[in-house]
Amino acid sequence: MAANLPPRRLVATGSVTWARPPMDYAPASKAEQLWMHLNSHGEHWLVRSDIAHVLPIPLAEYLQNGRTDTVQAVKETPYRSVYRLHLAEDRWYVKLYRPTRWLHCLRAFLGCDPAHHEFVTALRLENRGVPVPPALAWGRLPDGTTLIVSAALNPAETLADLLRKRAASETDAAAPFRNRIIEQTARLVARLHDLGLCHHDLHADNLLIWYSPEGAQVVLLDFREVKRRTMNTCRTRANLALLGQSVALLTHKTERRRFLEAYRHHRRTLSIARTDVFRWARAIERAMRKGCVRYWRRANKRYISPSRRVYRLQLGHWHLWAASTLPRSVAHACLQIAQNGQLFPSCRLIKSSASGTTAEVQMPGWHKPVIVKSFGRGKSFWSRLGRRYQSLARRAWLAGWQLLEAQLPTAKPLALIERRSWLGVSASFLVLEKLEDAVTLREYAEQMNEKHLLRQLGCSIARLLRLAHERGFSHPDLKASNILVQYRSAGPRIFFVDVTHVRLGCLSLARRARDLARLYVSFRGDRRLGRADWLRFLFTYLGTHKPAWKALWRRIHTLAARKVQRNLRRNRPLS
């Protein structure tokens, strides 16, 4: 019995005619591929005839026997898993969908199978000339698990891996190849949008760079989120911002603008006037930054709930959240010490004040010293009430991970310890990784005798502060003692510390000026720094775009004078 492949459901065997992209294993012209139904021991398969002799795939048997030369796990979750399969000379990817929840079982019962949707979408995309890995088979197992088998393209790497390697070692010789990849990615996304399709999970890990004999080719992956949509200006901007969000930290602004220009050139069904191109690109860049800020703000889910990044322990009223790099034996020892009423009795005190205490301690079972910070209860009633529900240690824990995700240098948080009851948090501690051979900015500046080295350090701080502000981070307590400098042969490395009050969001000019003024107050009495040095710092911070720098300079002076007067009224020293 034979029938053609229906547009919606695959219900019968038959032969279909479909055009393939120019790949080395595909026929040079259109060819008829025979699709066969196989039913064996409750398993149902729809498979291409040239690989039907190897089905059914004994995937569970390979995993139980530990045959890593045959099957390798690429990604494993309770709901979905991806395996790389090696059989003789064939290399395939097998993606399994398990009905682990009642919603998944209901979808399978109603026929909304994600593997089937991905299989049909792959065939349609390949038929319309979109480069995708060829789909070879779709199957349903007796326990309700569905899977899709696709061909492996080798050698290949994802776009994210390519950009990470480029960031580690960037050379001018790779510029033509980089421009060619940008052009092909723009052509692929434009082709997808012209077909009225939107990939709702479009990011750098779902774009594959396949090094074929004809040259590098960009291939689309993960078609489960490909939906039919009317790609107007608003949806186009949102989809391009989603792609830009995944490469925002790995690409330059010039490369993203080059991608948008190539996308506009290849897009046929969307016309943008030449006078509106700059405004259109700026709107996409703004939407991309807002998406990054939303992602970093969701650190509560990633670093408070147990996951592959952190784990949680409890001993009585004491709760501990620790990074996955910290052994559980060390975490248990910390909880026991905290429960005994005194955390790390033998330590070297670094700072002690009404707001908290900072000490360097040696944790039991850990190979190097760490920094432990305890936080005070606050002065006013409202501050004490607020810290009952979200302690300052938790704020610093989340802010540290947010900075690290945004690739901004800071000390890595290792553990968060809180004593919680029905009244809230009564005590909290934060354990940080110690930065070796690091001193405060003031101490480092006092050791420098050559003025040109001090100017170079100021320019490095200005660039780092501009990068932090561009990514939406503001440090209200940005003083010299909260900036650590680590000497290295390649140049000094700068780190932000004491990030308890770091704010994340779209920064106004007033907020930026406040951070600059706080740093300016820290070096107000240093005679080695004159007006010319501070103007050089300001111009480096502004970069090539210097709108109304005189107004910003006057605002910094005004805020610095207010800070000085406020400290004088409260009899506080400037730091």
Side-chain angles (χ1 to χ4, degrees):
M1 181 178 180
N4 287 334
L5 187 67
R8 290 290 180 185
R9 301 286 297 171
L10 298 174
V11 295
T13 61
S15 59
V16 296
T17 303
W18 50 316
R20 292 179 171 272
M23 300 181 180
D24 56 348
Y25 50 83
S29 60
K30 296 182 180 180
E32 287 197 352
Q33 299 289 346
L34 181 65
W35 292 89
M36 303 173 58
H37 274 292
L38 299 178
N39 294 283
S40 174
H41 303 289
E43 296 185 7
H44 175 71
W45 290 85
L46 180 64
V47 59
R48 217 171 64 181
S49 59
D50 54 348
I51 67 165
H53 62 282
V54 299
L55 294 179
I57 301 174
L59 192 61
E61 179 182 348
Y62 293 153
L63 293 175
Q64 291 176 0
N65 297 335
R67 296 182 58 179
T68 57
D69 57 333
T70 304
V71 59
Q72 297 175 356
V74 179
K75 179 180 180 180
E76 283 191 284
T77 63
Y79 171 54
R80 181 176 59 174
S81 299
V82 181
Y83 299 99
R84 185 185 297 110
L85 196 62
H86 300 265
L87 293 177
E89 298 181 356
D90 299 325
R91 294 185 179 182
W92 302 331
Y93 278 96
V94 181
K95 183 182 292 187
L96 281 79
Y97 291 91
R98 303 182 183 90
T100 56
R101 301 177 183 176
W102 67 270
L103 182 60
H104 302 155
C105 298
L106 180 62
R107 287 177 178 176
F109 177 76
L110 296 177
C112 304
D113 178 20
H116 180 272
H117 171 73
E118 187 169 353
F119 179 70
V120 174
T121 304
L123 297 182
R124 289 175 179 166
L125 290 175
E126 193 172 10
N127 190 30
R128 297 187 179 188
V130 179
V132 297
L136 303 178
W138 167 80
R140 184 189 300 276
L141 304 184
D143 59 352
T145 301
T146 57
L147 55 90
I148 176 176
V149 182
S150 59
L153 305 179
N154 291 303
E157 61 180 345
T158 63
L159 180 60
D161 294 338
L162 178 66
L163 293 177
R164 292 189 191 100
K165 290 196 306 184
R166 194 282 306 270
S169 59
E170 186 171 355
T171 58
D172 295 336
F177 174 75
R178 185 167 63 246
N179 295 337
R180 187 163 64 251
I181 294 299
I182 292 174
E183 180 76 17
Q184 290 191 13
T185 306
R187 187 187 301 115
L188 171 63
V189 178
R191 173 63 177 165
L192 200 67
H193 290 174
D194 282 336
L195 294 174
L197 300 173
C198 180
H199 198 310
H200 293 279
D201 196 20
L202 186 63
H203 55 81
D205 284 318
N206 281 339
L207 293 172
L208 188 71
I209 311 298
W210 177 43
Y211 301 102
S212 63
E214 292 80 10
Q217 183 179 359
V218 182
V219 181
L220 189 67
L221 300 178
D222 197 1
F223 326 111
R224 183 170 55 96
E225 297 297 333
V226 175
K227 309 292 183 182
R228 183 174 294 278
R229 296 288 185 269
T230 302
M231 297 306 296
N232 51 20
T233 306
C234 184
R235 283 203 178 99
T236 298
R237 180 172 63 246
N239 204 227
L240 293 179
L242 181 64
L243 176 60
Q245 179 182 337
S246 65
V247 298
L249 304 181
L250 302 174
T251 57
H252 304 296
K253 188 175 181 179
T254 305
E255 295 174 338
R256 295 194 293 271
R257 289 293 176 88
R258 186 181 295 116
F259 167 82
L260 292 178
E261 184 63 30
Y263 172 85
R264 190 181 68 88
H265 174 72
H266 292 290
R267 184 72 188 272
R268 304 302 179 190
T269 59
L270 181 68
S271 60
I272 301 174
R274 185 172 294 274
T275 56
D276 298 335
V277 170
F278 179 76
R279 189 183 301 108
W280 173 71
R282 188 171 56 182
I284 294 176
E285 195 79 14
R286 191 184 303 113
M288 179 200 70
R289 288 198 298 268
K290 289 182 178 179
C292 292
V293 170
R294 283 195 302 268
Y295 175 78
W296 294 326
R297 277 180 174 170
R298 290 196 293 265
N300 292 336
K301 299 180 180 179
R302 296 189 295 275
Y303 297 103
I304 293 298
S305 302
S307 62
R308 60 183 177 86
R309 300 177 177 90
V310 299
Y311 60 89
R312 181 177 179 178
L313 300 176
Q314 182 178 355
L315 188 61
H317 293 291
W318 289 91
H319 300 255
L320 179 140
W321 292 265
S324 57
T325 56
L326 190 69
R328 289 182 178 266
S329 58
V330 179
H332 275 291
C334 294
L335 273 180
Q336 292 175 357
I337 295 175
Q339 193 182 31
N340 292 335
Q342 188 177 8
L343 186 62
F344 308 113
S346 59
C347 60
R348 184 177 69 86
L349 191 63
I350 298 177
K351 177 185 176 182
S352 179
S353 63
S355 60
T357 304
T358 305
E360 177 186 340
V361 302
Q362 182 66 47
M363 293 172 54
W366 191 240
H367 58 280
K368 56 184 178 180
V370 297
I371 303 297
V372 178
K373 298 184 66 176
S374 64
F375 297 87
R377 298 177 58 188
K379 294 182 178 180
S380 66
F381 168 77
W382 295 110
S383 63
R384 293 184 181 183
L385 183 63
R387 295 178 191 182
R388 280 281 180 179
Y389 297 98
Q390 186 178 23
S391 62
L392 294 181
R394 178 174 291 206
R395 292 184 192 176
W397 166 267
L398 295 176
W401 287 113
Q402 288 170 353
L403 287 169
L404 291 177
E405 282 189 347
Q407 297 185 5
L408 295 173
T410 186
K412 181 181 178 180
L414 294 178
L416 167 65
I417 306 174
E418 291 181 347
R419 189 182 189 278
R420 304 181 70 89
S421 63
W422 65 276
L423 290 174
V425 181
S426 57
S428 61
F429 302 90
L430 180 65
V431 182
L432 299 168
E433 185 181 33
K434 182 188 176 183
L435 300 174
E436 299 293 339
D437 303 328
V439 297
T440 63
L441 178 60
R442 183 174 295 279
E443 294 173 352
Y444 190 85
E446 291 175 354
Q447 297 173 3
M448 300 179 67
N449 299 322
E450 300 182 9
K451 193 171 182 178
H452 73 279
L453 296 178
L454 190 60
R455 289 177 178 174
Q456 292 178 3
L457 179 64
C459 292
S460 301
I461 296 174
R463 295 189 192 97
L464 180 61
L465 187 58
R466 179 182 63 191
L467 187 63
H469 285 174
E470 287 178 351
R471 293 176 182 176
F473 289 89
S474 170
H475 199 318
D477 198 17
L478 189 67
K479 53 187 178 182
S481 59
N482 286 339
I483 297 178
L484 295 185
V485 182
Q486 199 177 49
Y487 180 76
R488 289 291 181 265
S489 58
R493 295 187 61 188
I494 305 164
F495 296 86
F496 294 128
V497 295
D498 196 5
V499 296
T500 306
H501 300 287
V502 165
R503 300 179 181 180
L504 178 60
C506 297
L507 302 182
S508 62
L509 186 62
R511 174 59 60 185
R512 297 174 181 236
R514 180 178 175 180
D515 290 356
L516 294 171
R518 186 65 188 91
L519 185 60
Y520 176 72
V521 169
S522 297
F523 290 94
R524 189 179 179 87
D526 197 337
R527 297 183 177 180
R528 294 180 299 173
L529 299 177
R531 179 185 175 90
D533 297 317
W534 284 109
L535 286 177
R536 184 180 294 107
F537 178 89
L538 181 62
F539 288 161
T540 306
Y541 168 80
L542 293 175
T544 57
H545 188 57
K546 303 180 178 63
W549 66 268
K550 291 185 179 180
L552 179 60
W553 177 252
R554 286 193 295 267
R555 178 173 291 191
I556 292 173
H557 269 279
T558 303
L559 293 175
R562 291 178 183 175
K563 174 65 177 176
V564 172
Q565 294 297 326
R566 186 165 57 251
N567 280 30
L568 290 176
R569 287 196 306 268
R570 299 176 181 178
N571 294 325
R572 289 183 179 179
L574 293 175
S575 60

